[in-house]
Each structure stands twice: as structure tokens, then as C-alpha cells.
Amino acid sequence: MEELHIPDLIVLAIPFFIVSLIAEGLIVQKMKREGRPLVGHTVRDTAASMSMGLGNLAINLVWKGAAFAVYAALYRLTPLRLGTGPWAWVLLFFADDFCYYWFHRVHHECRFFWASHVVHHSSQHYNLSTALRQTWTPMTGLPFWMPLALLGFHPVMIVTAQSISLLYQYWVHTEAIGRMGPLEWVLNTPSHHRVHHASNVQYLDKNYGGILIVWDRLFGTFQPEVETPVYGLTKNLHTFNPARIAFHEYAAILKDLQRPEPLRTRLGRVFHGPDWTPGPERPPDNTAQTLSA
């Protein structure tokens, strides 16, 4: 495999995260004093989000190496090679964003994956610290990027594109920026992502895009911001304990698996959507017995 070394962009960005969090807090406070109806920050919520981010960073020190090893193994298996030139990076930009869309959508539409992603939606606030509220089980994302290695993208390019996407998505987690004109047609913006983090009925499961919003427009999951978002979950998690935030949905799934229900129903509770409930049991068909009688 040809050599390609790029530093960990997320680690390099840590000083920027800290400075921008402080700056945003001051700006939002000023906007609230001016009468803007913003949710703003609280110390405990921000601390919980930062704790989740630090935990994610620590886990990824190990997990990123394991994921990279999988990409490298697949890259060696495939005869395809797209190289590392400018056109390969352009193609990867769109391919990575497409993979992110489906990763994100599946993590909302299947409870097994939602158990990992719900962490990011568990805050009732919306600010830059919310962007740091990341999962402690990042392993669920691996299958969605494996095809890129099989298509011939260098593993270092794949993990770099993932980091660029994550860095881009940091700044859209804010109430301090309004609509952005024509950019709203193409890019994921703070307005679009506020919709995604809202629990308003018309906003549920919308705007999955990472950098681009075009996939949502193409696949029918786009929703503009038309009413004030109410952030958080439809059933909010009233805790700032990082361990509970990280694993509460897994605990709920295990509890559901212990219900005295048919296996098909229990599996449905795991692999259907997070809000899925089994329908009423179909009564047995006694027609044949009636006729024979």
C-alpha cells in the first residue's frame, strides 16, 4: 500500500473547539439580553456534552486504529485503485457525504443503531457543545464506509474525509447563526441542522445530511425550519450522567428483550424504528373448524 500520512484533524482542532465554545457562549448571552428567544447554555448540560466528547475521543484512540485496519484489509483485497490525486479527493468528497447520509438515516430508522446515535440527540440545548456530545459506541458506523475501501479509495483518505465531515458539522450546532441565503439549497447549515435536532413532529427524522443537504432533497427527507425548534428527544433523558447518556438505550433494549413476547416481536423492538410498537395479535382463523362442525 502506498504511503500517505495525514495528521488527526480532530485532535488538532481541540484548541479551536475550546475558544469557539467560549465565544459562542458570550454571543448567545448577548443575543438573549437583546430579546432573542434562544435556549442558550447551562453549565451542567455543557459539561455533560464535553464529557461525552472526551469519552468518544479516548475510545477512538483505539477504535480508529481497528477501523483503519479493516479499511486497509479491504483495500488490499480489491483490484481497484482510484489514486490520491485531486479528482480522487473530489470524488471521495461526494462518496463520503453519500455514505454519511445513509449512516445517519439508518441510525435514526433502526433502533439497534439508534442506541448508539441517540447520545447526540439527548441534550435539550443546542449549541457548539452539543456537537461534542458523541457516542461511546462508534463501531456501528464501520459498515457504512467499508464500500469506499472496496471501491479503491486509500484508507487514509477515507478517515481524513470522515474527519473533515465531522469538523464541518461542528459549526452548524448553533442558534447564533440564522439562515444563509442561497447556501441553504446546497449545504447543511445551522438552520437545517436545528430542524434535525428538534423534537417537533414535523421535524422528526429530517435533514440527515453531513456537509451537503442535496441528499435529503433527493431522497425526500428535507424539511426547512418553519417553526421554533424544541430540542431533545420525544421522551427526554433527565440526567447529566455520562454513562447513562451513553448506554441508556442499550439498557432499554435489553429490558425489552426480556419481555415474555414472541421472538419476532422482541426482534422487532430491536431492529424496527425507535418508536415501533407491535400491532395487536391477529386472532386465530377458526373458519375451517366452523365449516367442519
Side-chain angles (χ1 to χ4, degrees):
M1 185 189 303
E2 62 266 32
E3 293 294 323
L4 187 64
H5 298 288
I6 298 177
D8 190 326
L9 301 180
I10 303 300
V11 173
L12 292 178
I14 290 176
F16 169 73
F17 292 157
I18 296 171
V19 172
S20 60
L21 275 169
I22 296 171
E24 184 204 30
L26 296 173
I27 292 169
V28 170
Q29 282 185 5
K30 180 177 182 295
M31 294 173 73
K32 290 181 72 176
R33 287 195 298 269
E34 293 171 351
R36 294 281 297 276
L38 306 181
V39 177
H41 307 64
T42 67
V43 172
R44 294 185 72 187
D45 181 79
T46 298
S49 293
M50 294 182 71
S51 297
M52 298 307 301
L54 289 172
N56 174 269
L57 190 65
I59 291 166
N60 271 323
L61 289 176
V62 176
W63 172 245
K64 279 187 176 180
F68 184 86
V70 173
Y71 299 145
L74 295 174
Y75 185 73
R76 290 190 181 97
L77 285 175
T78 181
L80 302 176
R81 289 293 182 272
L82 295 177
T84 58
W87 284 110
W89 282 101
V90 171
L91 184 59
L92 178 60
F93 169 80
F94 290 100
D96 170 79
D97 205 63
F98 183 74
C99 289
Y100 180 85
Y101 172 86
W102 286 106
F103 150 82
H104 200 179
R105 182 167 176 173
V106 171
H107 275 68
H108 274 257
E109 296 181 351
C110 173
R111 191 183 180 196
F112 173 80
F113 292 100
W114 173 246
S116 173
H117 185 62
V118 66
V119 169
H120 186 60
H121 287 265
S122 60
S123 175
Q124 295 178 60
H125 297 259
Y126 190 75
N127 52 65
L128 293 177
S129 75
T130 310
L132 306 180
R133 188 176 285 228
Q134 294 292 326
T135 182
W136 287 4
T137 54
M139 307 81 186
T140 59
L142 179 64
F144 296 89
W145 278 271
M146 287 167 55
L148 297 185
L150 290 172
L151 288 172
F153 289 107
H154 194 287
V156 173
M157 293 175 65
I158 295 172
V159 297
T160 301
Q162 290 173 329
S163 294
I164 292 171
S165 177
L166 195 60
L167 286 173
Y168 176 91
Q169 292 175 60
Y170 173 73
W171 75 276
V172 301
H173 290 83
T174 186
E175 296 178 287
I177 300 175
R179 288 186 174 84
M180 302 182 67
L183 294 178
E184 302 279 331
W185 285 96
V186 179
L187 297 177
N188 185 21
T189 64
S191 177
H192 294 331
H193 208 59
R194 285 193 290 269
V195 166
H196 180 70
H197 272 259
S199 60
N200 312 51
V201 173
Q202 68 173 322
Y203 289 166
L204 293 177
D205 299 328
K206 301 295 183 181
N207 298 1
Y208 296 116
I211 297 177
L212 302 174
I213 202 66
V214 294
W215 312 118
D216 289 284
R217 295 184 182 278
L218 181 63
F219 295 114
T221 53
F222 175 71
Q223 170 63 48
E225 186 179 22
V226 293
E227 67 180 28
T228 302
V230 178
Y231 303 112
L233 305 171
T234 54
K235 294 180 181 179
N236 282 306
L237 183 67
H238 300 288
T239 182
F240 299 103
N241 183 319
R244 282 195 61 200
I245 294 171
F247 301 115
H248 73 277
E249 188 65 15
Y250 289 107
I253 288 175
L254 287 175
K255 185 177 180 180
D256 281 345
L257 284 172
Q258 295 170 13
R259 290 171 180 254
E261 297 176 321
L263 178 61
R264 181 176 181 179
T265 299
R266 283 180 284 166
L267 291 176
R269 292 187 184 277
V270 178
F271 295 106
H272 282 293
D275 61 346
W276 182 84
T277 55
E281 290 292 327
R282 181 179 177 182
D285 187 355
N286 295 321
T287 304
Q289 296 179 16
T290 303
L291 291 174
S292 62

